[in-house]
Amino acid sequence: MDVMTTATAPLPTPAGATTPAPAPVWARRAAHAIALCALPSGLWRIAMASGVYVGYSDQVLRDVFDIPGWGIAYVVGLSVLAELAALLPLLLVSDRWRPLRPRTLAALAWTASGVLILVALWQLVVAFTVESQTYMTSGTAQTVWGFVFAPLFAIPALMTAVTWSYAKRHRAGGQA
């Protein structure tokens, strides 16, 4: 008895369709780096929401961030959303799951890259304003804050590179 399983049977491809090349190693590494770049700031925010001293006085936490209070949900939610968003580039280098058509995913990724660049520029302005610096209680706390948020500034460049690689592969593969 001859049994053929679906795992060994080739999948049919539409006539004239070509499969895009797999993502290059550098693009895969860059996509994973994006998720890792978002992690330190997320952990710092969760520490802040948990009551760990991160450089803000109790009065600043209450008056500015509403911690304890709804600010905890906001800060933790922001951390979770940021990390989930940082996982988006993994869709651009994976061949396993395609939630959208390649052209739609590429447009979404280019939009995300542009928004990330604008947000990074905005964050630089916020980081260097006098008001944001006066909330921290010490220079050590500002230094730690700088180290945990600095990796976020690599994300726009990494995202743009991963998006460019995805768009190039799918344009060459006839899928764009």
Side-chain angles (χ1 to χ4, degrees):
M1 178 181 220
D2 189 21
V3 177
M4 183 177 209
T5 64
T6 57
T8 59
L11 294 173
T13 56
T18 59
T19 304
V25 172
W26 68 264
R28 289 181 187 278
R29 288 183 180 159
H32 285 85
I34 292 170
L36 292 175
C37 285
L39 194 58
S41 61
L43 293 175
W44 183 87
R45 283 189 210 100
I46 290 171
M48 182 173 93
S50 300
V52 175
Y53 177 74
V54 294
Y56 295 124
S57 68
D58 289 339
Q59 181 181 356
V60 168
L61 288 174
R62 271 191 317 276
D63 297 345
V64 176
F65 298 105
D66 200 19
I67 295 174
W70 74 269
I72 292 173
Y74 171 74
V75 169
V76 171
L78 181 62
S79 297
V80 170
L81 285 175
E83 195 60 42
L84 286 174
L87 295 174
L88 169 71
L90 294 176
L91 291 175
L92 302 176
V93 296
S94 175
D95 297 327
R96 295 182 186 171
W97 184 59
R98 300 275 166 92
L100 301 169
R101 293 184 309 175
R103 178 176 286 170
T104 305
L105 191 56
L108 179 66
W110 280 121
T111 302
S113 294
V115 168
L116 285 168
I117 290 168
L118 293 174
V119 167
L121 293 172
W122 174 68
Q123 286 297 315
L124 281 174
V125 170
V126 169
F128 292 109
T129 62
V130 175
E131 183 178 334
S132 68
Q133 292 181 8
T134 59
Y135 288 143
M136 288 283 180
T137 57
S138 70
T140 303
Q142 285 180 336
T143 302
V144 170
W145 177 85
F147 278 118
V148 299
F149 279 86
L152 293 178
F153 292 106
I155 291 176
L158 292 169
M159 180 66 182
T160 301
V162 171
T163 301
W164 173 81
S165 171
Y166 178 84
K168 179 181 172 189
R169 285 183 291 112
H170 284 274
R171 202 173 20 250
Q175 302 268 335

